[in-house]
Amino acid sequence: MLFQPDIERLPLPQLRALQNARLKEQVAYLAARVPFYQRKFAEAGINPATFRGLEDLTKLGFTKKADFRDNYPLGLFAVPENEVARLHCSSGTTGKATVVGYTAGDLAIFSEVVARSLVAAGCRPGMKVQNAYGYGLFTGGLGLHYGAERLGLTVIPVSGGSTDRQLQLLQDFRPEILCATPSYAQVLAEELHRRGIAPEAINLKLAVLGAEPWSEALRTQVQDGLHVAATNIYGLSEILGPGISQEDVDERGTGSYIWEDHFYPEIVDKDTGEPVPEGQPGVLIFTTLTKKALPILRYWTGDITHLTYDHSVKRTHVKMGPIRGRADDMLIIRGVNFFPTQVEDIISQLPHASPHYQVVVTRQGSLDEVAVHVEVAEPLLRALGLAATPLTATHVQQHDALRALQGTFAKKIKDNIGLSMRVFLLGSGQLPRSEGGKLSRVLDRRAER
Ligand code: DLL
């Protein structure tokens, strides 16, 4: 399976006709099977028998994370349990997990769109891939695994973590492709450098990075450090998992193609829910067009981005920009709006800070207070003999390099964002991660008093 022009270059009128037909089928299917959607159709005054397709879609409200929680565990499923071939959970770190499921047919589509994504990333049958996404309930590990097998790659299913072993395998098995979160790819690049292993001593050529927001600065660091072309892969469990959109290796920096034959995207205003014009930022919404176990209409991802059609490129499918933050992550602190990714941009300019950070907002009296917790980069910790111990305020007081990092960081935040934030330095791995290896970038504790 390689580039598929009949799907990826389908002229827009035909793509719309395909989406329309599939959406009508999906609505009729849900109307016959899922009480949650039967109620939603009734509330919106939609008669599934006369539903016209895309033009009627916006009459329907959104499906939100809370709807999964209210129907925990399998209340939104459209098939009996014995037709569910696999279950996964999304990586939420608070409350009940979001449970998602797939029929055997859904899994075939999952593999197909991941394989298609890997082709766009530059992967070709016969190459080897080191898959450092977490295996388990997280969709990243198994999602990339089966997509890679479908494409005809040799898979090294190492999962996340164990940096020593990752580096060993990179040298011994010589894979051309690394699949990992961008922050972990950066850890590997730094470790390679620290151990004096030349990027040429390994055989990597491509990195397929996703599952968390990342910046162009991080792309440069990973590309330079590992000698790879790094592309973005995006997805979410509620809609499928990885493979909903993917950047083309020759069009890096111009957005990721959304596989529109399976997922219909919209961008809406985060306050009004109304559609916004092409190119404008808003909340990304997805409707599944072909899923059978858990079809979802108008899912509110909470991710902020924009969509653009670019007719001069390889494919007709729409491109999404990078995720600039989440609707529920945009913070208003003492009247200043800011996205945690602004903190990330500053961190990427600080050589002694790692990309692992967390913004914590609390309220003291009537004033909002913001603290940024950031893990110090490993090389500095090692140089100070602090690699194995949790970092405390006393350590920071004792070492000039740590005090300087703390001071510079706080000053840059004040200068660039216009807010004073307290900066706390931590040792590596001290911030809590979810099973998928992800960090919640924001803890908003203002309501907890
Ligand atoms: O993270 C699926 C995935 C696995 C994607 C491996 C790519 C690679 P969830 O755990 O359900 O699924 O988390 C979904 O992660 O709504 C975004 O906020 C964020 N996210 C995923 N990919 C990207 C990306 C997987 N490329 C949530 N850039 C999504 C920015 C991303 N954010």
Side-chain angles (χ1 to χ4, degrees):
M1 193 200 108
L2 286 169
F3 182 61
Q4 299 168 288
D6 51 327
I7 300 170
E8 297 177 53
R9 292 197 56 79
L10 196 62
L12 276 191
Q14 282 157 261
L15 187 56
R16 290 290 169 265
L18 178 73
Q19 291 173 323
N20 248 315
R22 288 182 166 175
L23 177 60
K24 279 194 237 172
E25 228 176 85
Q26 192 99 105
V27 164
Y29 178 83
L30 283 169
R33 288 165 178 251
V34 181
F36 171 81
Y37 281 108
Q38 289 162 350
R39 279 197 304 278
K40 270 184 112 62
F41 295 145
E43 278 162 23
I46 287 174
N47 176 357
T50 57
F51 183 80
R52 288 172 301 172
L54 297 175
E55 61 187 300
D56 282 343
L57 186 61
T58 51
K59 289 186 186 155
L60 204 73
F62 300 105
T63 304
K64 295 203 164 174
K65 187 126 190 147
D67 296 319
F68 277 82
R69 225 171 281 142
D70 294 347
N71 291 281
Y72 180 85
L74 306 184
L76 295 180
F77 280 48
V79 294
E81 277 183 55
N82 64 0
E83 287 178 34
V84 177
R86 199 198 298 162
L87 293 171
H88 277 291
C89 291
S90 92
S91 57
T93 45
T94 52
K96 278 183 193 158
T98 304
V99 184
V100 299
Y102 310 77
T103 62
D106 293 337
L107 289 176
I109 290 174
F110 194 175
S111 300
E112 164 91 21
V113 291
V114 171
R116 196 193 294 177
S117 301
L118 290 169
V119 170
C123 310
R124 294 293 177 269
M127 291 181 168
K128 292 187 284 289
V129 54
Q130 183 150 325
N131 186 14
Y133 285 115
Y135 281 66
L137 287 172
F138 175 55
T139 53
L142 288 176
L144 263 301
H145 182 104
Y146 284 105
E149 285 193 351
R150 170 85 178 76
L151 177 58
L153 305 180
T154 303
V155 186
I156 305 165
V158 56
S159 195
S162 329
T163 303
D164 283 340
R165 189 201 279 177
Q166 302 269 0
L167 293 175
Q168 192 70 51
L169 293 174
L170 286 177
Q171 293 171 85
D172 295 351
F173 293 177
R174 301 183 56 72
E176 294 90 344
I177 309 157
L178 172 71
C179 291
T181 58
S183 51
Y184 193 60
Q186 195 195 21
V187 167
L188 291 177
E190 280 170 4
E191 273 303 297
L192 211 59
H193 179 70
R194 195 185 67 78
R195 296 178 192 204
I197 304 168
E200 300 80 49
I202 59 170
N203 194 32
L204 283 181
K205 302 197 165 40
L206 302 166
V208 187
L209 311 180
E212 65 189 10
W214 53 302
S215 56
E216 286 300 319
L218 195 63
R219 190 201 305 266
T220 306
Q221 286 171 22
V222 170
Q223 294 196 145
D224 292 352
L226 295 176
H227 280 203
V228 290
T231 53
N232 182 49
I233 186 164
Y234 167 90
L236 66 159
S237 322
E238 290 86 339
I239 296 301
L240 183 82
I244 290 170
S245 80
Q246 168 71 44
E247 203 174 20
D248 186 282
V249 67
D250 299 323
E251 297 170 8
R252 273 167 283 163
T254 65
S256 305
Y257 288 105
I258 294 173
W259 305 127
E260 282 197 82
D261 49 331
H262 295 290
F263 316 105
Y264 180 75
E266 299 170 70
I267 298 281
V268 302
D269 183 278
K270 78 173 180 39
D271 298 316
T272 65
E274 292 299 319
V276 304
E278 188 182 321
Q280 296 300 305
V283 180
L284 182 59
I285 307 294
F286 278 112
T287 295
T288 63
L289 297 174
T290 50
K291 258 179 51 182
K292 292 293 185 221
L294 185 60
I296 298 292
L297 303 180
R298 302 198 86 203
Y299 187 67
W300 179 277
T301 66
D303 294 324
I304 304 272
T305 185
H306 64 271
L307 298 182
T308 45
Y309 282 96
D310 181 349
H311 302 290
S312 62
V313 292
K314 284 189 198 165
R315 297 170 182 83
T316 48
H317 296 219
V318 75
K319 280 181 173 180
M320 57 183 261
I323 304 297
R324 281 311 296 169
R326 293 185 42 83
D328 45 10
D329 273 3
M330 197 191 76
L331 294 164
I332 305 181
I333 308 290
R334 291 172 241 140
V336 178
N337 292 5
F338 95 101
F339 285 111
T341 45
Q342 289 175 272
V343 170
E344 182 167 324
D345 288 341
I346 295 172
I347 289 176
S348 69
Q349 301 160 19
L350 299 171
H352 296 312
S354 79
H356 311 297
Y357 71 94
Q358 188 171 59
V359 175
V360 183
V361 191
T362 51
R363 186 160 284 164
Q364 309 292 333
S366 59
L367 256 198
D368 295 335
E369 297 286 338
V370 190
V372 181
H373 299 255
V374 64
E375 292 180 6
V376 176
E378 290 248 2
L380 179 61
L381 291 173
R382 278 178 216 276
L384 299 174
L386 295 170
T389 39
L391 216 59
T392 63
T394 317
H395 292 129
V396 179
Q397 281 318 311
Q398 284 166 349
H399 295 280
D400 291 347
L402 293 176
R403 272 207 320 282
L405 171 61
Q406 193 177 40
T408 314
F409 191 19
K411 179 166 184 326
K412 278 186 181 274
I413 289 174
K414 176 81 185 143
D415 292 348
N416 293 320
I417 305 177
L419 285 168
S420 299
M421 300 185 195
R422 293 183 70 194
V423 170
F424 293 92
L425 302 183
L426 299 172
S428 68
Q430 265 185 280
L431 283 166
R433 265 75 161 181
S434 72
E435 191 197 1
K438 287 194 250 193
L439 251 172
S440 294
R441 295 305 187 191
V442 180
L443 290 184
D444 194 344
R445 299 222 154 109
R446 283 178 288 188
E448 304 169 13
R449 264 191 291 170

